[in-house]
Amino acid sequence: MRLNGKTALITGAARGIGRGIALCLAEEGANIVVNDLGDDSGISAHADAVAAEIEAAGGEVISHGANVANFEQVTDMVGQAMDKWGRVDILINNAGILRDKSFLKMEPENWQAVMDVHLNGAYFVTRPAMAAMKENGYGRIVMTTSAAGLYGNFGQTNYSAAKMGLIGLANAIKLEGAKYNIKVNTVAP
């Protein structure tokens, strides 16, 4: 299946699974928004490096250093994709961080930081992206969850709760998106 003319936004796309997804979708012909957390000016050297790989292979790409936990920054990111290509067709919510501690030692700021990136970040990015998808009558959204969310993991109560929250978020928005031809799935690599 070729993705020519489709636009894909991938969060956490500078390394690991996200990088692999970005390169694969670009190889299939999609326009790519490579997102990875940038510095205070919003520049992400890691995202820029992946974007350079895509450009070198002849792909169309935007590199964006938005913090997914910042609604204004991700709204700008989606807006840039809309300005350049007029659409967002695919969203892969892959951004993530770890702040591992056993539950009784976990400080509230470590709980909140993980919730902000995994769960709130997915909401913040999905909301404007899904609005763009609704306008175009087409969309595919993937939430990257984890076995830790499905089964729990010692020392990862924050991560486990956030990843399970993504499943609930996906299950609800798939019902709302169905009438607009927006399909939503979760993967647990």
Side-chain angles (χ1 to χ4, degrees):
M1 174 175 73
R2 296 291 298 172
L3 299 173
N4 294 3
K6 302 288 187 200
T7 298
L9 191 159
I10 303 101
T11 68
R15 291 170 243 174
I17 293 170
R19 178 181 174 273
I21 293 168
L23 295 174
C24 179
L25 294 179
E27 187 175 304
E28 290 300 317
N31 305 316
I32 304 295
V33 179
V34 176
N35 167 252
D36 205 74
L37 181 62
D39 59 21
D40 291 337
S41 66
I43 296 170
S44 172
H46 297 294
D48 288 348
V50 175
E53 284 184 67
I54 292 169
E55 284 179 338
E60 290 285 323
V61 66
I62 295 172
S63 174
H64 204 289
N67 177 349
V68 296
N70 183 304
F71 187 67
E72 290 76 26
Q73 289 180 18
V74 297
T75 300
D76 176 70
M77 178 173 58
V78 173
Q80 284 187 29
M82 293 297 290
D83 289 346
K84 185 166 184 170
W85 297 302
R87 58 190 310 119
V88 173
D89 303 287
I90 302 163
L91 169 61
I92 311 293
N93 282 306
N94 182 68
I97 62 169
L98 293 173
R99 299 292 184 269
D100 295 353
K101 291 278 184 189
S102 62
F103 184 68
L104 295 178
K105 293 179 181 177
M106 182 164 303
E107 296 296 327
E109 58 270 13
N110 288 333
W111 175 274
Q112 193 62 52
V114 170
M115 289 295 166
D116 283 345
V117 171
H118 290 274
L119 188 55
N120 296 337
Y123 161 74
F124 288 159
V125 179
T126 302
R127 188 166 173 250
M130 190 168 168
M133 292 173 182
K134 178 183 172 186
E135 282 182 30
N136 291 321
Y138 176 90
R140 302 297 183 256
I141 300 169
V142 176
M143 306 286 186
T144 306
T145 187
S146 168
L150 300 172
Y151 308 110
N153 198 26
F154 185 89
Q156 291 189 325
T157 54
N158 52 2
Y159 181 77
S160 297
K163 288 303 194 179
M164 191 57 158
L166 285 174
I167 295 168
L169 176 63
N171 285 337
I173 63 174
K174 78 177 178 186
L175 299 172
E176 295 182 22
K179 67 182 173 180
Y180 307 112
N181 192 27
I182 299 170
K183 300 188 184 308
V184 184
N185 291 284
T186 56
V187 294

